[in-house]
Amino acid sequence: MSNQLSDRINNLATSATLAMAAKARELRGEGKDIIGLSLGEPDFNTPDYIKDAAIQAVNDNYNSYSPVDGYVELKEAIITKFKRDNNLTYTLPQIVVSTGAKQALYNVAQVCLNKGDEVILPCPYWVSYSDIVKLADGVPVEVKTSLENDFKMTPEQLEAAITPKTKMLWYSSPCNPSGSIYSKEELRGLADVLKKHPQIVVVSDEIYEHINYGVTAHASMAEFEDMYDRTVTVNGVAKAFAMTGWRIGYIGAPAYIARACNKLQGQVTSGSNCIAQRAVITALTEPVSRIQYMVDKFQERRTLILGLLNDIPGFKCNEPEGAFYVYPDVTAYFGKTFNGTTINNASDFAMYLLENANVATVTGDAFGNGNCIRISYAASEDQIKEAIARIKKAVS
Ligand code: PMP
Ligand code: GLU
C-alpha cells in the first residue's frame, strides 16, 4: 500500500533532541560507550518529598479522570506560585494544566494561530517551537541574534521582524539552548515595541525559571500591566524539579485563551495524569529552597564545562546565566577535515563527535542557528570531564 500519511505528518521534522537521544541509546545498545549530552534532562532523581506525595495519592485512590484543565487544588497551588515567584495575579479560569509544557505550547499554537499567521522566534529558540507553529499552519519568522549580544533579540530587531501578519512572539528565558536571560529592562524594551502592535500575543516560556545562576533576576513579560492581557506564561516542573517523565506543565493566560486550551485538551487528551498532578501540588507548594541543591550543582557544572570548552581552540561560548546548556559557536571547524571526515556544518560536527568521540550533542540547526552545537551539562562532573576530553582529542 502506498504511503497514506497526511502532508501534515510527512512535512513534520522529527524532534532533533529526542532523535539524538534515541540514536545515543541505540549505539549504547550496540555496546558503544556513548556519553549523552544531547537531552535536556536533569540527572537527579525526583526529590523524595514529591515522590511521597505521589505515593500518598495512589493510596488515596486518585485514579479517576481529573478535570480537563487540572485539579482545583493544583490550579490554586499554581496561582500561589505565580504570585510568590513572579508577582503575577491569576484566577482559576486563567490556569490550564497540561501533559508537559510541550502540550501547553501546542495548545496555545492551535488555539491562537490561523493559516499564514506569523510567529516571531528569536534564534536560537527551543527546538520544538517552529514545528509546533507549523503544525498550527503558522509561519515561523526567525530573528537572528549574535553571540556578542548574548543571543538576545534587541527591540530594533523585533520591530524589523513585525509585519501585518505577525500574530505572536515566542521566547524562552532562561533560554534553551543559549542559557541567556532577559532582564526586566530588556523585556520592557521589547514590550515598548509590542505596545505599537496590539494584535501580537506573547508566549513567555519560563520552564527554566528556577535554574538561574543569580546574574540576572528572572522576569516575566506578564508583569507589565500593558502586556498582561496578551501574554501566555508557560511553565512546568520537568527541569527544576527533576520531573521530566511525570509530564506536567501549565499556563497562566488571558481567560479566553485558557478556555480555548481547555476545550482543545478536552477533545484530545483530557486532564493530565492524576497522580502526577497531586505530586506537583506538593512540588509547587513547598519552598523553592528545597530544590536549590540541584541548581547549585548545575552552576558548578557550568563553570566546569565552560572552563574545559574555552580551553579548546575553536569553541566560542557565551556565558549561560541559567538553564543547563552551553551553545558554543563551532564555525572555526567548518571546512576542516578530521580523521578523513570533512565538517561542512554544525550537523556534520555533531555527527562527527558522536561517531569519533562517542559524545552525543545536538546540532545548532535544530534551534535555528547553524553556527553552534548544543551541549547539555545536566550530567555528572566525571561524565562532563570525560566527554570534553574526548571532544578535545577528536578535534586536535
Ligand atoms: N520549553 C522548553 C524551553 C524546554 O526546554 C522544554 C523541554 N522539555 C519544554 C518547553 C517542554 O517541557 P516538558 O517536558 O514539560 O514538556
Ligand atoms: N527540552 C529538552 C531538550 O531540549 C527535552 C527534549 C524535548 O522535549 O525535546 O532537550
Side-chain angles (χ1 to χ4, degrees):
M1 198 168 163
S2 60
N3 182 342
Q4 295 300 308
L5 295 175
S6 65
D7 295 342
R8 190 182 311 111
I9 197 68
N10 283 330
N11 293 334
L12 182 71
T14 301
S15 162
T17 46
L18 300 185
M20 197 55 156
K23 176 105 190 131
R25 224 175 279 134
E26 184 190 309
L27 291 174
R28 245 180 245 124
E30 290 167 12
K32 288 208 170 138
D33 168 28
I34 304 290
I35 302 180
L37 303 183
S38 57
L39 199 58
E41 170 151 75
D43 58 328
F44 294 100
N45 288 322
T46 305
D48 285 344
Y49 66 97
I50 301 174
K51 290 199 273 194
D52 289 344
I55 292 163
Q56 188 63 45
V58 172
N59 289 329
D60 287 346
N61 296 312
Y62 278 97
N63 39 33
S64 311
Y65 289 127
S66 77
V68 170
D69 52 353
Y71 288 115
V72 169
E73 296 88 333
L74 174 53
K75 297 205 301 172
E76 281 168 347
I78 290 168
I79 288 169
T80 306
K81 171 257 166 311
F82 272 134
K83 191 76 203 157
R84 178 192 68 188
D85 301 339
N86 314 109
N87 198 26
L88 295 177
T89 305
Y90 287 114
T91 56
L92 286 171
Q94 294 180 277
I95 307 294
V96 180
V97 178
S98 298
T99 299
K102 207 177 240 178
Q103 187 189 20
L105 290 161
Y106 179 84
N107 286 345
V108 173
Q110 289 290 327
V111 308
C112 288
L113 295 174
N114 284 318
K115 196 173 173 55
D117 284 345
E118 292 178 358
V119 178
I120 294 179
L121 304 179
C123 300
Y125 50 79
W126 179 49
V127 61
S128 291
Y129 287 177
S130 60
D131 286 286
I132 287 176
V133 165
K134 285 186 207 157
L135 273 176
D137 289 332
V139 179
V141 174
E142 298 186 348
V143 175
K144 302 286 173 206
T145 64
S146 67
L147 189 146
E148 289 67 34
N149 197 38
D150 200 21
F151 294 114
K152 286 189 264 197
M153 179 174 68
T154 64
E156 294 73 28
Q157 288 176 311
L158 172 61
E159 182 88 69
I162 293 173
T163 75
K165 287 189 167 172
T166 307
K167 183 75 182 287
M168 303 185 92
L169 158 66
W170 286 31
Y171 69 90
S172 62
S173 177
C175 174
N176 176 2
S178 69
S180 307
I181 297 179
Y182 284 93
S183 68
K184 191 160 181 183
E185 293 68 37
E186 286 166 335
L187 289 182
R188 186 61 253 172
L190 300 178
D192 284 341
V193 174
L194 295 168
K195 217 156 68 177
K196 295 177 256 166
H197 305 276
Q199 79 285 6
I200 300 177
V201 173
V202 176
V203 167
S204 170
D205 181 347
E206 304 181 12
I207 195 164
Y208 294 94
E209 167 191 12
H210 297 306
I211 307 176
N212 178 319
Y213 305 128
V215 180
T216 302
H218 183 78
S220 301
M221 188 62 98
E223 280 179 79
F224 302 122
E225 241 177 80
D226 57 336
M227 291 305 299
Y228 178 81
D229 280 336
R230 53 186 176 119
T231 299
V232 179
T233 308
V234 177
N235 213 321
V237 291
K239 311 296 172 174
F241 297 89
M243 296 180 75
T244 48
W246 296 66
R247 310 305 305 129
I248 300 289
Y250 55 89
I251 57 167
Y256 77 97
I257 294 181
R259 244 189 332 268
C261 292
N262 190 8
K263 181 161 96 172
L264 176 65
Q265 213 165 268
Q267 292 285 25
V268 182
T269 52
S270 301
S272 49
N273 179 286
C274 60
I275 303 301
Q277 284 193 58
R278 301 311 299 184
V280 172
I281 296 173
T282 296
L284 295 183
T285 308
E286 287 294 304
V288 179
S289 55
R290 297 195 74 167
I291 52 166
Q292 188 60 35
Y293 67 97
M294 294 189 265
V295 181
D296 292 344
K297 267 281 167 229
F298 290 137
Q299 183 163 6
E300 282 170 34
R301 294 166 181 182
R302 178 197 61 160
T303 306
L304 173 70
I305 198 164
L306 278 179
L308 294 170
L309 284 176
N310 285 330
D311 214 29
I312 311 180
F315 278 74
K316 219 163 76 187
C317 301
N318 69 320
E319 190 153 314
E321 295 184 357
F324 36 58
Y325 310 98
V326 277
Y327 196 62
D329 182 306
V330 292
T331 45
Y333 296 108
F334 295 177
K336 297 228 163 98
T337 301
F338 299 103
N339 300 321
T341 304
T342 302
I343 312 293
N344 291 312
N345 49 46
S347 299
D348 287 352
F349 193 63
M351 203 41 75
Y352 173 75
L353 295 183
L354 182 65
E355 286 167 358
N356 291 270
N358 284 349
V359 177
T361 60
V362 187
T363 172
D365 294 306
F367 308 89
N369 177 330
N371 292 339
C372 300
I373 60 167
R374 189 190 78 173
I375 307 177
S376 162
Y377 53 87
S380 73
E381 280 83 351
D382 285 348
Q383 279 180 314
I384 291 170
K385 281 185 201 156
E386 172 65 17
I388 306 306
R390 287 186 194 177
I391 291 176
K392 189 172 180 178
K393 189 159 165 246
V395 297
S396 57

